[in-house]
Each structure stands twice: as structure tokens, then as C-alpha cells.
Amino acid sequence: MDVRIGLIFLLFLLSCNLSDREQKVYASPRGYDLKEPVRYRVRESMQEISGIELFPDEHKIMAINDEEGRIYQLDVLAKEPYPHFKFAKDGDYEDICHTDSGWFVLKSNGSLFQVHGLFTDSVYSDHHKMPKTGKKEFETTYYDSAHNGIVMICKNCEDDKRHGVTSAYRFDLATKTFDTTAVYKFNNQEIARLAGSDMRFFKPSAAAIHPIEKRLYIIASVNGLLVIADLQGHVQEAYNLKHRLFLQPEGLAFAPNGDMYISNEGGYDGTANILKFTYKTK
């Protein structure tokens, strides 16, 4: 009888521990309410929407479909087909970045395509191949104007797995060359601690610098996280995202006033959309 009671008590403790691990806290960073977005549905052509960039204002959003070498110009209120511009052959394109040197699109293997003649009938691109060897996968870029470069964050790089980090690499816009070493590395355990999860690998899917806070906001679709760091890669905050609202977040952009836009792919069980979160300073 004592043995049976002991086993029951042990099973109870184990179930409590599992319940504690599975219980996630859903909070919002200061200035935002992640439970109350404005929702914009996108047309069927953009069900695989990936990277986004506001241009020239919040009414128009430049975006890519991650299966085509096309840039689309989305009007969130439009009922007509979106204008689009073919810059390269079909492939796995993951993010778009607007810089002082023009438009760039990231391919999943780390290559960058500099797009010329956008909004015209003569669009073409220059291909900049990342020299990093070994298995690598990228979904995230952002423009670092202070260093005149584009920063790309690994989603799945074999070097990182062994060390429990997630590396970021820079493309120098002045020389059109890639840095050979990481500019910084995120500590995956620190992110897991802040999020209250048992995450092993951090897999970013979008990032952008907040125009007012001057901090880096990062979305990780696989992890269901919004992570905030300084521009040197030191993680400061992490927030769990509810899957019901963030089905597959793949794009992130800010308006100059701090309003945050996050795009969700449609996937197999939903409709693609863009969520707007109003930034409140008080």
C-alpha cells in the first residue's frame, strides 16, 4: 500500500512539473498591446507573404512571396490585384530590406539580391553570394544605418548548434562584401530563460530596429516569440506569442511613429494577414 501511495504521489509531482513548464505567460512589451491588433487581410497572391517594408508610408507595404522572385506593392485597402515586379527567377526568398543604397531581398541560403529599377518596367538585380560555408539558412535581415550595412540573422546554421548561440552577419553596403565573422551572437539559453521556456534553438524569422527606442525587435515564428535586444546582440526581453493570433509570423516592420506591423503567412489552417499594433508612449 505504501509503495502504491508513493507512486501516485510521484506521478502527481511529475504532472505538476509538466503543467508548470507548459504554462506560458503572455505579456506585451511597453507601448504595445499584443492582444489588440488592427487586422488587414491580404489577397490570395500573398498567402505566402514573408518579409515586409513600409514604403513610402503606412498605406503601402512592400512585400515578397517566399516562392517567387517578385516584389509586391500592397495597398492594405485595395480591392484590385497588387502591382508586382519580377527581379529574379523563382526561389526561396525570405525578407526584404530598404536601405540608403536601394532595395535588397534575402534568399534562404544567405544570398542578397540588390534590386534595380523597382516600380519600372526594367527591373533587374545583382546577386551577392554569401561566402560562409557549411549548412546555413536565413530568414531575417534589417538595415543598420549606423554601420551602413545589412545584418542577417541565422535561422539554422550548423556552427551555432554546437555552441547554443544564434549568429548575425553583416553585409557592408560600401564595399558590397560580407563580413567573414559574426558581428554578434544571441545566447539561446538567455532567451529561453526570459521567455520561461525550454527552447533549445532560437530561429528568427523577421527583425527591425525600433525607430524611437533604437532597439532590435525580432520575431521567431518557430519558437512563437518576440525578442527585444540592443543593437550589440544583448537580449533584454522576450515575449510568448499566442498561436491563435500569430499563425506564422514571417515579416516585421515599423512606422516612424513606432506602430508595429507583423505579417503572417496563411499556412494550411488560416488566411494570411498583416497585424498593426499601435505604439503608445504613455
Side-chain angles (χ1 to χ4, degrees):
M1 180 65 71
D2 291 342
V3 173
R4 203 181 314 174
I5 292 173
L7 287 172
I8 292 172
F9 182 69
L10 180 60
L11 289 172
F12 173 76
L13 289 177
L14 287 172
S15 67
C16 288
N17 287 337
L18 285 171
S19 178
D20 288 342
R21 285 201 298 271
E22 293 170 357
Q23 188 67 36
K24 291 184 177 180
V25 175
Y26 296 98
S28 300
R30 184 177 179 181
Y32 297 101
D33 184 351
L34 297 182
K35 301 186 298 298
E36 295 294 335
V38 176
R39 301 174 190 237
Y40 299 108
R41 294 181 66 175
V42 299
R43 297 180 63 84
E44 187 66 29
S45 59
M46 293 303 292
Q47 289 307 295
E48 297 295 321
I49 188 172
S50 192
I52 59 174
E53 188 80 61
L54 306 188
F55 186 85
D57 52 40
E58 298 181 63
H59 189 59
K60 297 286 180 66
I61 299 177
M62 308 306 294
I64 54 171
N65 177 322
D66 72 5
E67 297 176 348
E68 306 172 3
R70 297 181 189 273
I71 296 176
Y72 286 78
Q73 185 178 42
L74 280 59
D75 181 336
V76 294
L77 302 177
K79 301 188 185 316
E80 301 297 325
Y82 303 133
H84 52 84
F85 310 91
K86 185 75 172 175
F87 67 89
K89 65 182 182 180
D90 292 355
D92 188 10
Y93 298 99
E94 296 291 351
D95 209 355
I96 184 170
C97 188
H98 186 227
T99 77
D100 289 343
S101 300
W103 293 90
F104 289 79
V105 174
L106 172 72
K107 200 171 184 180
S108 61
N109 62 4
S111 292
L112 283 171
F113 289 76
Q114 184 174 5
V115 181
H116 303 278
L118 192 61
F119 310 112
T120 74
D121 295 330
S122 304
V123 182
Y124 68 98
S125 61
D126 293 330
H127 180 195
H128 301 280
K129 186 176 180 180
M130 188 183 193
K132 177 178 171 57
T133 59
K135 183 179 179 181
K136 56 187 182 295
E137 181 182 3
F138 293 83
E139 289 190 359
T140 306
T141 62
Y142 66 90
Y143 176 43
D144 180 4
S145 60
H147 297 92
N148 193 31
I150 296 173
V151 178
M152 310 183 306
I153 307 175
C154 281
K155 178 184 179 183
N156 185 14
C157 293
E158 62 180 359
D159 296 344
D160 289 349
K161 287 186 174 182
R162 295 191 293 269
H163 304 290
V165 299
T166 298
S167 297
Y169 296 87
R170 181 180 289 118
F171 177 76
D172 190 309
L173 288 167
T175 62
K176 299 294 192 299
T177 59
F178 292 86
D179 288 353
T180 56
T181 58
V183 291
Y184 59 76
K185 299 181 180 183
F186 292 115
N187 184 313
N188 295 346
Q189 287 188 344
E190 179 64 12
I191 295 173
R193 184 187 68 78
L194 289 170
S197 72
D198 56 358
M199 175 199 78
R200 290 186 60 200
F201 304 114
F202 181 48
K203 296 179 176 292
S205 53
I209 296 176
H210 195 288
I212 297 171
E213 299 176 3
K214 303 303 180 185
R215 297 194 296 169
L216 183 64
Y217 279 56
I218 309 145
I219 289 286
S221 180
V222 172
N223 306 115
L225 291 177
L226 168 63
V227 174
I228 303 175
D230 66 19
L231 301 186
Q232 290 74 48
H234 302 117
V235 179
Q236 298 174 338
E237 304 170 34
Y239 300 90
N240 293 294
L241 301 175
K242 286 190 174 181
H243 180 70
R244 177 176 54 81
L245 187 59
F246 300 92
L247 290 177
Q248 193 173 336
E250 299 283 346
L252 171 65
F254 289 102
N257 66 355
D259 289 351
M260 179 168 60
Y261 292 74
I262 295 174
S263 60
N264 284 287
E265 287 191 15
Y268 296 106
D269 57 351
T271 300
N273 61 31
I274 296 174
L275 306 177
K276 175 185 177 181
F277 298 90
T278 302
Y279 186 57
K280 299 176 181 179
T281 55
K282 291 183 180 180

